Amino acid sequence: MEKNPFASVGSIVQGSSFVGRTNEIRDLEERLMGSEFGNLAIVGIPKVGKSSLMQEALYGRSEQLWENRRFIVVWYTLKTSVDSIKTEKRNIFLRLVSDVYHFLKQKKELELIESLDEYYEIIKDSSIVWTEFEQNILYFFEEIVYSKIRVIYCIDEFDYSKEVLGESEYQLLREISYRNSNKIAIVTTSRRSIYDIEHYSGGGSNFYGTFENIYLKPFSKEEHLLQCDLVPGMPSLDVYELYNIHGGHPYLNALILKLYMTSKSISDSNYKANQDILLYYRDLFYVLEKDDLADKVDKLYCGFNDGVTEAQEDYIYNCYGLFKEDSNGYMTPYCTTFDNVLRQRYRENPFRLTWPEAERAIRKSITYAMTEEYGDEDLSLWVDEICDFPKVNRKRFNEWKDQMDREIRLYRGRASHNIIDQLYPTDYAVFFEYFWGKYLSAIYKHTLAYWTENLKFIADRVRNPEMHSRKNLLLPESQQRATLICQEIIECVRAAKI
């Protein structure tokens, strides 16, 4: 049987199955192999080939790098299991020292080993205090540097560092990769840059300042062709169809090509792999959600950039490559499958379903502000207080009061005595302005101007009598924008736990 080069899809790609990434390997070598060398972060979305690049360029060439340059390459994968978190703080350094020590022992560098023994024994002692542990780490690598040996420490899954490392550990990583007397090079793989990871964890060091970034995107058309060339005799039409469907994503390509080796049909292979493809995108949006980027992707998809910072837009467009520029200059999803995923996300959260919950959330936050300001022992007192608000329209105020009185007469005990429940979308901005500084700014992200504009958009374009009776008048992009505004309102109030 013909060997299938995609049989181990999902694991680290190496050997003849590794294709492309020429520019990234060049950048990596320039950073690490020259007279000056420093830290490097390989950043990208899940399964785009970060670990495979680090394996191909460094760890897989460890013997060659030792023989030709006296480089030692060490690999460590961060873990976040309950058992490992307690020990991970020191393990990340102990593993580095142990692997370097045993590598030198294997290569019979006996004189150097003898000078390292004292430091190594102290570092292994779990009872020593952190300052002594830290100092002996530095002594250990001073001996390595003095012997004209370079160490490259490959740390996979570095995103997890924010859950296990603190300022002291980040500072020690900086020390061993910054000072010339004990300098090593650290290469990481992660979804986010070291700056984002370190600051997310509350670290106060500037470890991130020692890094250059390589942002790994899906394959270019040329790299996509190289991957398809691993399938003997694959027609150019099938190559083009696969690129259109999955945009050169190396993992999704491999899922299809594994099946294509026997089926010789892109559509059949894509159909069979559909559950794995959907699972990948669920996982992708799970990690984007953790990084506060999922809703930003949704917003950019519909051209609604409000609330998306320049840094977040740069991540999504330029660093991750989730969108690409079309022939008309518009940013569109990088492939048809991702486009379908984004459309489905919208269908699952249409405005007409999210608005009722969003409106309850708005009223809840205004009620919270009223309670904090006036107490809630007697809600009838709120009526008199609101009457004196400077921007409350007298006609609107009377409508709220009359409507509440009618409901109380009609429904008695089931009626709400909270006048805030009588507000309409056109009324919310007045209360946002009045309570913003003292109460609401702590609940809602962004600025008062941001929310005033968005609430006005809903009141003017969406929640008005014309739209109530003729829903089809609302354009899809307006409906999508309204949905995103509602989702953000719900998330803000939910996070405030009021």
Side-chain angles (χ1 to χ4, degrees):
M1 291 181 64
E2 187 176 14
K3 182 182 177 182
N4 191 328
F6 306 101
S8 59
V9 58
S11 59
I12 291 178
V13 178
Q14 52 191 323
S16 59
S17 295
F18 184 92
V19 299
R21 306 305 192 193
T22 304
N23 293 336
E24 289 81 4
I25 291 175
R26 181 203 62 212
D27 293 343
L28 188 148
E29 290 178 346
E30 287 178 355
R31 178 69 169 168
L32 298 173
M33 309 300 176
S35 57
E36 298 295 329
F37 73 112
N39 298 339
L40 189 73
I42 304 171
V43 181
I45 57 176
K47 295 186 181 297
V48 79
K50 303 183 295 294
S51 302
S52 298
L53 174 61
M54 193 162 67
Q55 164 72 28
E56 175 68 17
L58 296 172
Y59 197 66
R61 298 168 56 196
S62 56
E63 286 297 323
Q64 176 188 344
L65 289 170
W66 170 255
E67 294 297 330
N68 296 343
R69 297 175 174 269
R70 298 228 347 139
F71 283 11
I72 300 175
V73 183
V74 177
W75 184 291
Y76 186 63
T77 302
L78 270 170
K79 311 174 190 69
T80 56
S81 64
V82 175
D83 295 333
S84 70
I85 286 177
K86 295 178 181 178
T87 58
E88 198 80 349
K89 290 178 181 291
R90 292 200 180 191
N91 272 359
I92 194 172
F93 302 101
L94 183 58
R95 175 66 175 272
L96 167 63
V97 169
S98 297
D99 282 6
V100 169
Y101 182 88
H102 288 290
F103 183 90
L104 292 168
K105 194 173 183 179
Q106 182 186 42
K107 299 302 180 184
K108 302 190 184 306
E109 296 283 332
L110 302 181
E111 185 177 342
L112 179 54
I113 286 292
E114 186 177 348
S115 65
L116 295 174
D117 278 336
E118 179 184 354
Y119 309 127
Y120 184 49
E121 290 302 316
I122 295 173
I123 292 167
K124 288 193 301 180
D125 184 356
S126 60
S127 66
I128 64 168
V129 297
W130 174 259
T131 53
E132 190 175 357
F133 177 82
E134 182 179 39
Q135 191 59 59
N136 280 275
I137 293 280
L138 298 175
Y139 289 153
F140 183 93
F141 285 108
E142 281 180 6
E143 296 289 344
I144 299 291
V145 171
Y146 183 77
S147 300
K148 301 188 185 307
I149 293 172
R150 283 189 184 179
V151 174
I152 300 175
Y153 194 13
C154 301
I155 310 179
D156 203 17
E157 305 286 356
F158 197 72
D159 294 283
Y160 292 132
S161 71
K162 65 179 179 289
E163 299 177 26
V164 295
L165 303 184
E167 185 174 341
S168 298
E169 291 77 38
Y170 283 123
Q171 190 62 33
L172 181 52
L173 287 171
R174 182 184 185 278
E175 284 289 301
I176 62 176
S177 61
Y178 182 72
R179 291 171 47 186
N180 288 331
S181 59
N182 49 240
K183 189 174 185 179
I184 72 169
I186 298 174
V187 181
T188 63
T189 68
S190 57
R191 301 188 313 270
R192 303 299 297 267
S193 70
I194 305 302
Y195 174 86
D196 292 325
I197 293 169
E198 187 180 359
H199 280 253
Y200 179 91
S201 68
S205 79
N206 57 352
F207 175 51
Y208 66 87
T210 65
F211 276 81
E212 285 188 5
N213 297 313
I214 290 179
Y215 293 106
L216 214 57
K217 303 177 185 178
F219 280 157
S220 65
K221 287 184 178 179
E222 293 74 21
E223 291 171 321
H224 170 80
L225 180 59
L226 291 173
Q227 190 178 23
C228 291
D229 282 345
L230 297 175
V231 180
M234 185 174 180
S236 58
L237 286 177
D238 288 352
V239 173
Y240 174 80
E241 182 182 0
L242 179 59
Y243 186 78
N244 186 50
I245 293 172
H246 292 303
H249 192 296
Y251 168 70
L252 299 179
N253 274 2
L255 281 177
I256 306 306
L257 292 172
K258 176 186 177 181
L259 299 168
Y260 182 86
M261 288 288 292
T262 53
S263 73
K264 302 302 179 184
S265 168
I266 293 295
S267 58
D268 288 351
S269 301
N270 197 61
Y271 178 78
K272 291 177 182 177
N274 188 54
Q275 285 303 313
D276 289 329
I277 295 165
L278 294 177
L279 179 61
Y280 169 76
Y281 280 112
R282 282 198 292 270
D283 289 343
L284 172 62
F285 273 96
Y286 172 76
V287 297
L288 289 174
E289 189 74 46
K290 289 176 66 175
D291 295 337
D292 193 30
L293 289 175
D295 65 314
K296 311 305 185 294
V297 172
D298 292 333
K299 287 184 175 183
L300 293 176
Y301 175 60
C302 69
F304 175 44
N305 292 37
D306 289 13
V308 183
T309 67
E310 186 177 348
Q312 291 166 335
E313 184 176 311
D314 186 60
Y315 252 114
I316 295 165
Y317 282 165
N318 302 322
C319 301
Y320 289 164
L322 291 175
F323 292 78
K324 60 185 179 182
E325 190 173 342
D326 66 11
S327 58
N328 296 316
Y330 294 106
M331 299 301 291
T332 60
Y334 79 100
C335 66
T336 57
T337 302
F338 189 52
D339 187 35
N340 291 337
V341 168
L342 293 175
R343 289 177 185 274
Q344 183 61 35
R345 283 174 62 82
Y346 166 67
R347 284 197 295 269
E348 290 175 353
N349 295 285
F351 170 77
R352 64 181 179 275
L353 298 182
T354 56
W355 171 248
E357 185 177 355
E359 190 161 31
R360 286 193 295 272
I362 292 172
R363 290 174 177 174
K364 187 176 182 180
S365 66
I366 295 175
T367 297
Y368 161 78
M370 291 289 298
T371 301
E372 291 293 303
E373 188 73 8
Y374 306 112
D376 60 356
E377 294 82 5
D378 186 355
L379 294 184
S380 65
L381 296 178
W382 288 10
V383 177
D384 296 332
E385 297 292 348
I386 291 173
C387 181
D388 295 329
F389 282 15
K391 290 190 178 182
V392 168
N393 180 280
R394 174 62 58 180
K395 180 181 177 182
R396 292 293 299 143
F397 172 77
N398 289 333
E399 290 173 357
W400 305 334
K401 188 174 180 298
D402 291 345
Q403 178 65 24
M404 184 174 69
D405 291 340
R406 280 195 298 271
E407 288 185 5
I408 292 173
R409 289 196 301 271
L410 184 61
Y411 299 111
R412 299 183 183 179
R414 290 180 293 148
S416 172
H417 291 256
N418 182 1
I419 195 171
I420 302 303
D421 289 336
Q422 305 302 327
L423 302 184
Y424 275 78
T426 189
D427 305 318
Y428 296 139
V430 171
F431 288 83
F432 266 63
E433 290 179 17
Y434 193 81
F435 288 118
W436 182 258
K438 292 184 69 174
Y439 306 113
L440 298 185
S441 61
I443 298 174
Y444 294 95
K445 301 175 185 177
H446 313 303
T447 64
L448 174 60
Y450 172 88
W451 287 111
T452 301
E453 179 186 345
N454 286 330
L455 290 172
K456 186 176 186 301
F457 167 79
I458 289 177
D460 292 349
R461 299 279 302 280
V462 183
R463 295 298 288 179
N464 56 60
E466 185 178 38
M467 290 304 174
H468 287 180
S469 59
R470 300 173 64 195
K471 293 178 182 178
N472 289 337
L473 288 174
L474 187 61
L475 296 175
E477 54 266 31
S478 295
Q479 192 173 23
Q480 174 74 330
R481 176 180 175 180
T483 301
L484 294 168
I485 293 170
C486 291
Q487 288 172 330
E488 189 165 15
I489 290 169
I490 294 166
E491 290 167 7
C492 287
V493 175
R494 186 179 294 153
K497 298 179 179 179
I498 55 176

